Each structure stands twice: as C-alpha cells, then as structure tokens.
Amino acid sequence: MAEPGPPAAPATTGSFAALRHLLPALPAGKLALVGSLMVLVSLTEGFGLFLLVPVIGAVGGGALPDGIRRMIAATGLPMALAPLLALCVGLVLVRAVLQYVRTVEGQKLAYGLVDNLRLRCFRLILHADWRTLAAMRQSDNASLLITNIDRIDMALHTLIAAVAAGVTLGGLGLAALAISPVMALATALGGALVLFAYRGLRRRAVRLGEALSEANDTVYARVLESLGALRLIKSLSGEARAARALSADFAGLRRAQLAYTRSYARGQVVLQGLGAGVLALAAWLAIVRLGVAPPVLLPMAAVFARAVPLLGTLQENWQYWLHGLPAVSDVARLAARLEEGAEAALPAGGAAPRFEQAIELSGVTLRHAQRDSDALTGANLTIPAGAIIALTGPSGAGKSTLADIVGGLVSPDDGRVMVDGVALDAAGRRAWRSRVAYVQQEPVLFHATLRENLAWACPEADDTAMRAALSVASASFALDLPDGLDTVVGDRGARLSGGERQRIALARALITRPALLILDEATSALDTENEAAIADAVTRLRGQVTVVIIGHRGLLSGIADRLVVLERGRIVSDSGTSPPAASS
Ligand code: ADP
C-alpha cells in the first residue's frame, strides 16, 4: 500500500515547552530532593572557599578588611589554623557525600523519566488505530523509540549537569560577594556577557540537532528496509549497492554529528580565551586599582579558578541540551499524532458480538488520507454466519479495505457495520476484533518455538489444542519435525518453507477459535500443492467458521459458496448463492 510522506516537522519546541512535556512524568518529591541537594552542594562549596579567607588571615597573609572580620566573628568561627582546616576537611566530606547522593538520585530520576517515556510511546504505537499506523513509516517509530529517546536521555543528563553548574556558580557567587562585592559584581557581569555572547552558538545547536534527527531517521529507515529485503538484495546482486547506500547515509549522519562537535569545540576555545581575559582584567583591577589585600585576593583567585571551568561546563551542557531538544519535539509530535489516532479502550467485561446471524455492511465508504478517490464506495454486503465468501477483483479494487472493515480493524468514514443486528461502535469494534483471525500473504512468525508461536495467539492452549489446530490447518508436518512443538522456527519462520509457514499461521489463527477467519491473499505466494492443503483445511471448517477469502480466482476461492467481485472500490457483482443465515 502506498504511504503518504511524514508531515512537515513543526519548529522545535523551546526549553520550557520541552520541560513541560517531560517533567510531569517525574515524581515531584524526587525532583525536589535532587534540586535541594544541588543547592546544598553549591552552598557547601561556596562556604568552603569563603573559609579560605580566615585561613590565610590566620597564617599571617595580611590584615583582614573590617567588614570580613565582622562577618567571620558573627559566624562564631575560631580564628586559629587547626580548627579552621578541620572545618574545611569536614565541609569537603559533607559536600562529597551530598554530591554522591545527588548523582545517584539524579541518574535514577533521568532513567525513570526516559523509561517511562519509551514505554508510553510504545503503548501509544500499540494502541493507535490501524489507519494511523498504516500511514506512518515504522522506521520513524523505531528511531523514535531507540535513538530519539536515547538522545533525550543524554540531553537530560546534560540539563542536570548544566543546572548543577549554574547552581554551583551561584554558590561561588555568594562566596565571592561575601569576600569582595566589587570584584564579584565585576566578574559576574563579565561571565554574563560571555554567556550572552554565546547565544548564537546555542541557536545553532538547535538547528544542528534538527539535522541530526533527520540523519538518524534516514539511517534507521535504511537499516530496517535493507534487513527486510535481504533476499531481494542478494537475488539482484545488490550487496555493494546496499552497502554504498548505507555508507552514504552514515556519512550524512557523521557530517551532522561533526558539525555539532566543531561548533561546540570552537565555542570552548573562545570561551577559554574570553574567560582568561575576564580573569586577567579582574586581577589587574584588584591588584593595581583597588589594592586588594592577599587574604581577600587569594580566596577570590580560588573562586575564579573554580568558576571559569564551571562556566565552560554550563555553556557546554546548555548547548548540548539545546542540541537534544529536537529529539523532544520529535517525540512530542509523534506522540501527539499517535494519541490523536488512539483506539477506543477495550470495553471492560463487554462481550464481543457472538456472530450467530450475519455481518451487514450498508453504504460503507472509506477514503485514505491524501487520496483523491475512495478505497471503498457505498458497499452493501451481508455475510451470513457460517458462509465462505471469496472477494475478488483487480489489485487496488478495495478487497483488503473491505476485509479490514468487516474484521473490525478499521472504521468506515461513512455507512454502517452491524454484527447480528447490532451496529459496531468504536468499543464494539475492538471487542469484535478478538473474534476475528487473519492470515495474510506474508505470514508473521516469531523467532521462537512452534509452541510459543501458537501460544502467542492463545496462551491457555495446551498441547492437545495445538495438535488439533495443526491438524485442521493441514500442518501436522510440524509434529514430525525433530523437536516437534519445541522446534525453533528461525527469524520470521525462516527455517520453514513458505507453505509450511502459512499452514502454521493458519493453525495459529484457528487456535483462537475465531468466529470469522479472513484469508488475505493467503495462498498467492504458494505452489499448487500448498494452496490445495490450505483449501482442504478451509473446506474442513465449512459451517463452523465464517471465512472471507481475498484473492484472485484459484483453488482457494474455488471452494467459496459465493463470489463477490470488486472494481475501483465498488462491489460490481455478488453471486449471492450463500446459504441463508443460521438462526440463533
Ligand atoms: P486490494 O486489496 O483490492 O488490492 P486495497 O483495499 O488494499 O486493494 O486498496 C484499495 C485502494 O486504497 C488502493 O487504491 C490503495 O492504493 C489504497 N490504499 C490502501 N491502503 C492505503 C493507505 N494506507 N494509504 C493510502 N491509500 C491506501
């Protein structure tokens, strides 16, 4: 089926919008704990540096200015060297422990958030309606679940690091203010100017992040597509071409990543230069102009020596957070699209229609988005319980669409679908689907044992039920395999032939004891022998299960009671020879 392209990406959200999207998933108590720990760590660090003033005073590095002397006296600190040093060591230890708790709790918070987000997105995909899913590129969803959410994980860590650096700078600022207000204000102004000068780089980080999102999606789509087309690639000797295409996509990805690395590294070079300049200016002011005494000058130097790299850390992590923001917007955009296309919940305790009389379609019309013509127009059809009906017609005539509507996978845009006289609403449709089994042209088997594959459809089925289903589905060969039901079928059933896979898929469909079985081109890819085996199986079901067969005329549709022909979305003929509906 053709897919419309992805919608144009809206502009990347800003930091606040991104946080609004992410933060509600965080437990408020934990968030407050991590925030308080950050502040405590920074305060202990600032206070530790402030302590250097009396320490240097105590070793006779010069007289303390009056203001500072009064401030220290007010704190009740001893002015002797040994207790001051002991206090410094104590503070370092307290800070180290607080920092440990903050690191672990911060990490737990980020992991919790990211895991929640991943699970939420996966659930949204699982619960979106079929029309929404069919219009999406699934590699985008894979990229969303893995790469984008990993990027958000990284971005969150950098955000935490940026906030921690900012808060620590605040603590150092307080210490600097206490030691020398003039120098503190002058250098804070310098620091703020440096950060301001970097706004261009930060904007660029967002743009480069958007380019990275696109490059990631391209690589994902290529990998998934190539792995799904290995047979085709090999049969067309396209190995080198496939490798070249992936290599080109990777080159694009690396270009996007390197562009960011360059921009970020350039920023660091300039930052170090500017930081050194601001510091030199502050030192010159302090020594030459203000004649600041050593007990003040030295602790200030310690504060600045710590503050300049922190400014670098703040800028670096802030920039990285912004670089990761497009991943948040991508996730938010896809999540919104999936939420919009969410299916109604399965009604609690609401039983599915029994289907003892008939399914009736009246005036059913469906049009896919971005298509000019209807996939199905004004279809009227009654399927009596127990009938075997074949839908035929050229490719694109609307057969699968009709079967999807009958099977409750999609809802029509117009018209009504009734089962046993009750119209299917959204919830009823979901319940009805549990009574319908599908076998499609390319059967989906999981890389697991036969038993696990059958149990996937019906977890409570025991070996007897599995043997019975295999027997009805002309698939008893499975019991003769070396490991019987414990045989592992390989990736997508690769260790079985196409016909064997299809018969196992039929057994899996039957083990659920469906009321309606839909065979969508189920034998189109099979040889006559396998088609005959499946036709035999369906013949055995006559009268017990209602069967809708989609396909070109052949052995399988030959066993139908009734032939319905579609062309360009319309039912153009209906042999209508099915037996009357069984009464309940
Ligand atoms: P058939 O089963 O008879 O081959 P379908 O029911 O699959 O036909 O398709 C009917 C029409 O709807 C075709 O024109 C097809 O291209 C279109 N169509 C089917 N699925 C989609 C989709 N997901 N998005 C857009 N158009 C679709």
Side-chain angles (χ1 to χ4, degrees), residues 55-86:
V55 169
I56 295 169
V59 290
L64 295 182
D66 274 354
I68 291 194
R69 187 182 294 283
R70 274 201 299 278
M71 213 184 298
I72 291 169
T75 61
L77 285 174
M79 287 296 285
L81 186 58
L84 281 173
L85 286 177

Side-chain angles (χ1 to χ4, degrees), residues 370-526:
Q370 294 160 353
R371 285 294 171 120
D372 294 337
S373 54
D374 296 338
L376 199 64
T377 305
N380 297 312
L381 182 71
T382 300
I383 304 176
I388 299 182
I389 290 191
L391 303 180
T392 67
S395 182
K399 304 179 294 290
S400 299
T401 305
L402 181 58
D404 285 348
I405 292 172
V406 168
L409 194 61
V410 294
S411 61
D413 295 316
D414 235 325
R416 205 168 48 163
V417 181
M418 295 204 289
V419 180
D420 291 349
V422 178
L424 285 186
D425 58 7
R429 195 174 314 112
R430 273 211 68 181
W432 166 235
R433 214 159 62 209
S434 65
R435 307 224 53 214
V436 179
Y438 268 89
V439 177
Q440 57 197 48
Q441 183 173 358
E442 191 49 54
V444 178
L445 294 186
F446 300 109
H447 189 5
T449 63
L450 278 169
R451 180 180 281 105
E452 285 163 328
N453 267 288
L454 294 173
W456 171 255
C458 183
E460 61 276 13
D462 57 13
D463 278 15
T464 314
M466 290 187 186
R467 280 173 214 278
L470 287 169
S471 161
V472 180
S474 304
S476 295
F477 74 89
L479 300 171
D480 299 330
L481 292 170
D483 294 320
L485 284 173
D486 292 315
T487 305
V488 175
V489 301
D491 194 18
R492 296 169 193 232
R495 292 181 202 159
L496 301 173
S497 75
E500 288 169 343
R501 274 200 296 272
Q502 198 56 295
R503 285 184 274 156
I504 300 290
L506 180 59
R508 185 180 53 193
L510 294 178
I511 207 165
T512 60
R513 301 183 153 274
L516 173 68
L517 173 67
I518 297 175
L519 303 171
D520 191 350
E521 307 276 1
T523 54
S524 306
L526 302 186

Side-chain angles (χ1 to χ4, degrees), residues 233-258:
I233 290 172
K234 295 195 84 60
S235 69
L236 295 176
S237 299
E239 293 92 337
R241 216 172 334 142
R244 268 200 310 275
L246 185 64
S247 158
D249 292 342
F250 263 113
L253 177 64
R254 295 301 176 222
R255 265 197 305 279
Q257 288 170 327
L258 270 175

Side-chain angles (χ1 to χ4, degrees), residues 191-228:
L193 283 177
V194 169
L195 284 183
F196 180 72
Y198 271 72
R199 71 198 188 290
L201 263 190
R202 288 192 291 271
R203 275 202 292 266
R204 187 167 154 72
V206 177
R207 278 200 306 280
L208 293 174
E210 283 161 357
L212 182 63
S213 287
E214 260 174 48
N216 269 326
D217 286 353
T218 308
V219 165
Y220 250 87
R222 178 83 61 193
V223 168
L224 290 187
E225 205 168 68
S226 306
L227 293 180

